[in-house]
Each structure stands twice: as C-alpha cells, then as structure tokens.
C-alpha cells in the first residue's frame, strides 16, 4: 500500500495519548484508548495488503509473515535484551524470574494470555510488569496469524464481494463477546483477541467499503473522527469498564478518520506529528519500561522526572527507529547485513537467557551476600525453607497424602495439642504459632495446603483438577475425623477470596461443628491485602538505600478481606468456646494498628495478603503484648486444668 500521511499522523495521536496516560499527565485519563486506535489502523493496513495482493495474484503467506516479523520482532527483541540487563541490577529474584517469563511470553506473542492470568491492566501491581504493554503486540500478531487464512478461505469459497459482508458478521460477533466479556470477565475482555478482533475488523471494513468524498466532506469527517477519539481520551478513565460498548467511541472515530482520507489535517499533517508517527512503534515499546523504572524509584509523582521520562521515551524511540527499524529494512542497515541464521540465533539466545532466569529462580546469587541475609526472612514460610506449608501445586516432588499432615511446630513436648489447618494463610501463620506455642507450651500440628480453606464440603478456591484439590480432601477428612483429639483448633484462610467466590457457608458449618468437638477454636484474620508486593518494595529500598513508606501503596484488594474478617468475627464471637483474633491484635506498634513493625518493615509479603516469615514472627511478638493474648493464656490454662482433671487416659 502507498504511504498515507493521514494514517501516519493518526499513529502519532495514538502513541501520544498512550504515553501521556502512562506518565499520568492530566487530563488524559483515558489515553489508553490509543491502543484501540492502533488496532483500527492495523486492521485497515493488513486488509489492504492481503486483499490487494490476492486480487493481483501475488499474495504469499510466507512473505506476509516474514514482513510482519521484520516489522515487529527486531525492536521488540532489543527491548527484551535491555530490560533483562537492567533487571539484573535492579530486580529482586522473584521479580527477575517474573521478567524472564514476560520476555518469553512477549517473544512468542502470548503475553496477553500471561497478563490475563496475572491480573488487571489497571491494578497498581501492573506497574511492576516491565513488558505489560506487549499485550497489544500479542493481540496484533495473533490477528496477523489467523486473518490472512480467514480472508483466503472466504475469498475462495464466497468470493471477494461477499467477503466483506461476512466481515460485518465477524465484527458483530466479536463486539458481542467484548460487551458480555467486559461484564463477566473484564480482564479476559481487555486482553484476549476474541473480544478485541472487532476493533481491527472495523479497520478492515473501512478498506472494504471505500468512500468517495469531496474535500470538505473529507475534512468534516476527519475532524469528527478526531473529536470522538479525543473525547474518549478525556472522558473515560481507569474506572470505566473497558473495552465494553464505550470502545465504540474511539474505534468509530478512528474508522471515520481513516475513511476520510484527509491528507491536510492540521493536527496530523505537520512535522512533529509525522515524525512521531514514523517512530510510534519504537516510542510505544520504550516508554512503558521507563514508566516502570520511575515507579521503581518512587519518582512517578515528580513533575521534573515525568518530563525527563517522556523525553527519554521519545529519544529511545528515535534511536530504536533509526538503528533497529530502519536497520532491518534499509539495504545499508546493520541488521539487513546480518545473515538470517545469525538473527534467528540471536533471538533464540534472548529466549534462552529469559528461560535461564526462570529456571534459576531469578538468580539470587547476583545480589550481595549481605543483602540476601538481610532479606532472607522476607519470604513465604513453606516446606522448602523449613516450614509447614505443603504446596503440592508448586513443588512437584511432594506426594499427595498423609505426609502433608505431619509437620509440627511450637513446643514439641507441650502440655496442649493444637491443630493449625487451612490454606496458604494457615501456612503463613506457622512462625506465629511456633512462637506462641513455645511461650504457652502448645504442640502445634500444621496441616496447610494450596487453596484448602477450612470448610465442610468440597468448595475450593483453586482448580479442582489440581493435585492440591486431592490433598485438600484428605486434609478436610483428617479434621472431621480427628478434631476431638486436640485441645485447640486454629482455622486460617484467605477469607476475602473465599467470600468473593461466595464459599463462606462451608466455613461457617466447619466452625460450628469444630467448636462443638474441641475445647477451644481460634479463627485467624486475613492480614491487609495491598495492591502491590510490599515485601519486594521494601527490599528495593533496602537494596538502594532509599526511604520506605508503606502508606503510598493502595489497598483496593483489601475491601473484601476486611468485610470477610468482620463477618467471621460476628459468627465466631457468638460461640462460647471460639475466639476470632482481629488484625489489631496482631499487627500493631505498642497498641497502635500498623502495617509495619517497629523497624519499619512490612508484616506483609505479597498482593494476596500473605505474611513473610519475619512478619509472622513479629505478629507473634505484637500479639504477646495485648490483653487478648493474656485472655487466651487464661483460657488455655482452663483447658489445661480440665485436661488434667479428665486424666490422660481418657483423651
């Protein structure tokens, strides 16, 4: 297809909106719609390339795919190398391992699937994902793989004239998936191709239904399209369910602008817009890692650094365009002179390096020994580091069975016998009960496995096809058969998630049944759920010797957990022999509720609300200072007296 300055200028509008949005520049609260604009442009151009070549008899699948590779892969591969190198010096092991997975997903064009499974695009934790923006490239590449096949098959069986009417049907089908998916699976609708294909197919319709317009009609239609795009950028926000039906606004606007074919629009036909349009792909690639870098050092709210970040994005985009994009297309370019086998070898080398970061668990040895010692307890207590959480889901060598019910903590020769049971949240309370058990002479047996919250029935928060589900059924059967053998039963679970999945009824039944069979039942609270991994954020400050402020991190994920804690407390406290330990009993500084310890280190670990080994131990220290701890000690003394009176032989 011949070069169109209007489309090149529209690319500039799209990338400017995305960059301004990601750098938090007001009032472009909906600048993410720039990606929707890119999708329409892509659909138009790809349809033009495929259909025009089909009509002339020159279309080749191999040529088409090779051209797409040459357009997309080289700059993306260089970006992946850059972030892997930067990550070597900047990232915690878990973060570096995640980055390796992102690189692999980006180079294989499945990052949209990876991020769909990881979480929402607008969540605060998404700002830790260095290659988050490659989700759109994965969508486009998946479209490129399937679309020429679809057009070729349709052209052969129904002809070129009927083809465009079937494209309309495909648009309506994909748009329906988008609207319904946005309501019931927002993350899937945002990331996955079935809900996004209609945007590219709208571009296809613009090509397949060309308009013949006079100059004033072109001008009017072009400005109307731009007005719709800019209105969407200014009026929608992160709070808007997206894409949904509202995505019609920027998509329709983009379609109108491209259909108009107005080459002399003042907003797009100028030197700045044309330059930015030419470099838009590279600017898009480089701007997001710079946004993440600013957030990494807590610079994202400083105006000077935002300006520097935007200018750095444009500069990096220029260099990438000049030396990488042109370097693969121009005859005198460095990459053009490189043999294809060499280029392919370099690509495999990048993928291999990314895989090694995953296999090596983020290469912790690259960090100093002093740092590793200082941060050693900022991890989840699990069987691999000497604790009890029996994660058959993440540790393939662990067998499903009774071995997951044998771990003991606390006072090994304690006068009282306790059972700590639940999911990973029971696992993270193991250091807590190890310390409390030793103080109060309690021998605690821990039975904790993936997603296995204490409940009656078969409700499960994970996949029932997993090995973890089989382990869970064994754990629940163990509780049901043996609750009467313990002086104290301790329940712990991810109550917020369980409540969100409407599975609390089984928990309430288990509480009532167990309280009737054991002398004392304790239900542990779900700790604060932050929107980011606060332990990693703290470790960064430790590594780079910068201040740590827990208050800057959001708690939107905590809403359901707080409500679940409140509801559970109401149920538990109505029972005579049950205690609900509130957050304020465990997480405080001298009686003042706190998410950090005296040392300004977070109790918490990750976005799910897990405690680190350190945080769990410190929660035990904080708990031991409270009146609730003294009350518990008295209750346990009464149980101990009752047990002695009954005689050992009767238990």
């Amino acid at each position: 297809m011949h070069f169109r300055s209007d489309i090149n200028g529209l690319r500039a509008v799209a990338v400017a909106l995305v960059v301004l949005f990601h750098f938090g520049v007001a009032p472009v609260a909906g600048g993410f719609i720039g990606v929707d604009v890119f999708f329409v442009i892509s659909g138009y151009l790809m349809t033009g390339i495929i259909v025009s070549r089909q009509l002339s008899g020159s279309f080749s699948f191999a040529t088409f795919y090779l051209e797409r590779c040459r357009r997309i892969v080289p700059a993306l591969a260089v970006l992946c190398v850059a972030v892997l190198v930067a990550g070597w010096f900047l990232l915690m092991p878990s973060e570096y391992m995640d980055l390796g997975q992102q690189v692999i997903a980006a180079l294989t064009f499945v990052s949209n699937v990876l991020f769909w499974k990881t979480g929402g695009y607008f969540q605060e934790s998404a700002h830790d994902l260095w290659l988050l923006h490659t989700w759109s490239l994965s969508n486009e590449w998946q479209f490129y793989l399937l679309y020429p096949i679809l057009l070729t098959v349709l052209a052969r069986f129904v002809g070129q004239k009927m083809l465009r009417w079937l494209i309309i049907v495909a648009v309506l089908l994909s748009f329906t998936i988008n609207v319904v998916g946005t309501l019931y699976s927002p993350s899937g609708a945002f990331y996955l191709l079935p809900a996004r294909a209609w945007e590219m197919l709208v571009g296809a319709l613009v090509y397949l239904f060309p308009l013949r317009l006079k100059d004033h009609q072109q001008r009017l239609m072009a400005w109307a399209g731009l007005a719709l795009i800019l209105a969407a950028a200014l009026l929608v926000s992160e709070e808007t369910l997206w894409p949904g039906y509202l995505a019609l606004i920027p998509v329709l606007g983009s379609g109108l602008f491209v259909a108009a074919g107005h080459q002399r629009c003042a907003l797009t036909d100028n030197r700045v817009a044309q330059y930015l349009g030419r470099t838009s792909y590279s600017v898009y690639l480089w701007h997001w890692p710079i946004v993440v870098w600013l957030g990494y050092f807590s610079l994202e709210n400083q105006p000077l650094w935002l300006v520097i970040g935007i200018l750095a994005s444009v500069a990096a985009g220029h260099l990438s365009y000049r030396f990488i994009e042109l370097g693969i297309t121009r005859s005198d370019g460095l990459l053009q002179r490189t043999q294809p086998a060499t280029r392919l070898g370099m690509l495999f080398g990048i993928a291999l390096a990314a895989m090694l970061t995953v296999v090596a668990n983020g290469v912790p040895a690259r960090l100093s020994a002093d740092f590793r010692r200082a941060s050693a307890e900022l991890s989840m207590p699990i069987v691999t580091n000497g604790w009890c959480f029996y994660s058959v889901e993440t540790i393939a060598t662990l067998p499903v069975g009774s071995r997951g019910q044998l771990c003991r903590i606390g006072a090994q020769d304690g006068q009282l016998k306790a059972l700590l049971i639940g999911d990973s949240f029971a696992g993270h309370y193991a250091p807590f009960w190890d310390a409390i058990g030793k103080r109060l002479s309690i021998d605690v047996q821990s039975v904790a496995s993936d997603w296995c919250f204490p409940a009656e029935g078969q409700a499960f928060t994970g996949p029932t096809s997993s090995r973890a589900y089989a382990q869970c059924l064994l754990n629940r059967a163990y509780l049901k058969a043996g609750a009467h053998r313990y002086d104290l039963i301790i329940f712990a679970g991810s109550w917020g998630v369980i409540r969100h999945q409407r599975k609390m009824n089984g928990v309430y039944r288990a509480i009532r049944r167990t309280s009737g069979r054991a002398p004392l039942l304790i239900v542990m609270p779900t700790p604060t759920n932050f929107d980011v991994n606060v332990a990693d954020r703290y470790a960064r400050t430790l590594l780079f010797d910068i201040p740590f402020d827990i208050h800057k991190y959001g708690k939107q994920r905590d809403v359901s957990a707080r409500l679940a804690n409140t509801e559970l407390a109401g149920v538990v406290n109505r029972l005579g022999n049950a205690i609900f330990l509130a957050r304020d009993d465990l997480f405080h500084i001298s009686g003042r509720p706190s998410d950090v310890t005296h040392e300004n280190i977070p109790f918490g670990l990750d976005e799910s609300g897990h405690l680190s080994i350190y945080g769990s131990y410190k929660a035990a220290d904080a708990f031991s200072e409270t009146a609730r701890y003294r009350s518990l000690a008295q209750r346990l003394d009464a149980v101990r007296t009752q047990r002695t009176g009954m005689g050992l032989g009767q238990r």
Side-chain angles (χ1 to χ4, degrees), residues 97 268 325 387 462 473 522 565:
M97 184 169 62
T268 58
E325 290 191 64
W387 291 99
L473 295 181
I522 292 178
N565 281 344

Side-chain angles (χ1 to χ4, degrees), residues 397-452:
T397 55
L398 293 180
V400 173
S402 60
R403 180 177 165 186
Q405 301 161 354
L406 301 178
C407 188
R408 292 169 62 191
I409 52 180
Q412 296 296 301
D413 56 350
Q415 297 172 312
L416 297 179
K417 306 297 180 186
L419 175 66
L420 169 63
I421 188 165
D423 54 21
S424 58
F425 283 70
H428 79 193
Y429 276 122
F432 176 94
W433 281 105
D434 182 60
I436 297 299
K438 288 171 180 174
R439 287 174 178 148
L440 297 179
S441 188
I442 310 171
D443 181 356
V444 183
Q445 181 179 347
S446 176
V447 178
S449 62
D450 313 87
W451 303 304
C452 190

Side-chain angles (χ1 to χ4, degrees), residues 633-643:
Q634 292 172 0
R635 297 280 293 268
L636 291 174
D637 282 341
V639 172
R640 197 175 285 111
T641 300
Q642 180 185 16
R643 184 178 188 275

Side-chain angles (χ1 to χ4, degrees), residues 118-139:
T118 302
Y121 180 81
F122 300 112
Q123 291 179 357
E124 187 176 350
S125 58
H127 286 260
D128 288 335
L129 303 173
W130 291 74
L131 296 178
L132 175 69
H133 61 320
T134 63
W135 75 269
S136 63
L137 303 182
S138 294
N139 256 289

Side-chain angles (χ1 to χ4, degrees), residues 49-100:
I49 291 170
I50 297 167
V51 172
S52 63
R53 292 179 183 177
Q54 285 178 338
L55 291 174
S56 66
S58 62
F59 178 76
S60 162
F61 283 103
T63 300
F64 177 81
Y65 292 137
L66 181 60
E67 288 174 346
R68 303 285 71 74
C69 281
R70 293 173 68 185
R71 171 78 176 108
I72 294 175
V73 174
L76 175 62
V78 171
L79 174 73
C80 289
V81 171
V83 294
L84 281 172
V85 171
W88 180 271
F89 299 100
L90 293 177
L91 300 184
M92 301 301 107
S94 62
E95 295 174 314
Y96 200 46
M97 184 169 62
D98 289 342
L99 178 60

Side-chain angles (χ1 to χ4, degrees), residues 47 274 347 438 504 573 634:
T47 304
Q274 290 301 305
L347 188 62
K438 288 171 180 174
M504 288 297 293
N573 291 335
Q634 292 172 0

Side-chain angles (χ1 to χ4, degrees), residues 11 67 119 234-235 302 378 601 612:
R11 284 196 185 102
E67 288 174 346
L234 296 173
L235 297 177
Q302 299 185 26
L378 298 179
I601 301 174
S612 65

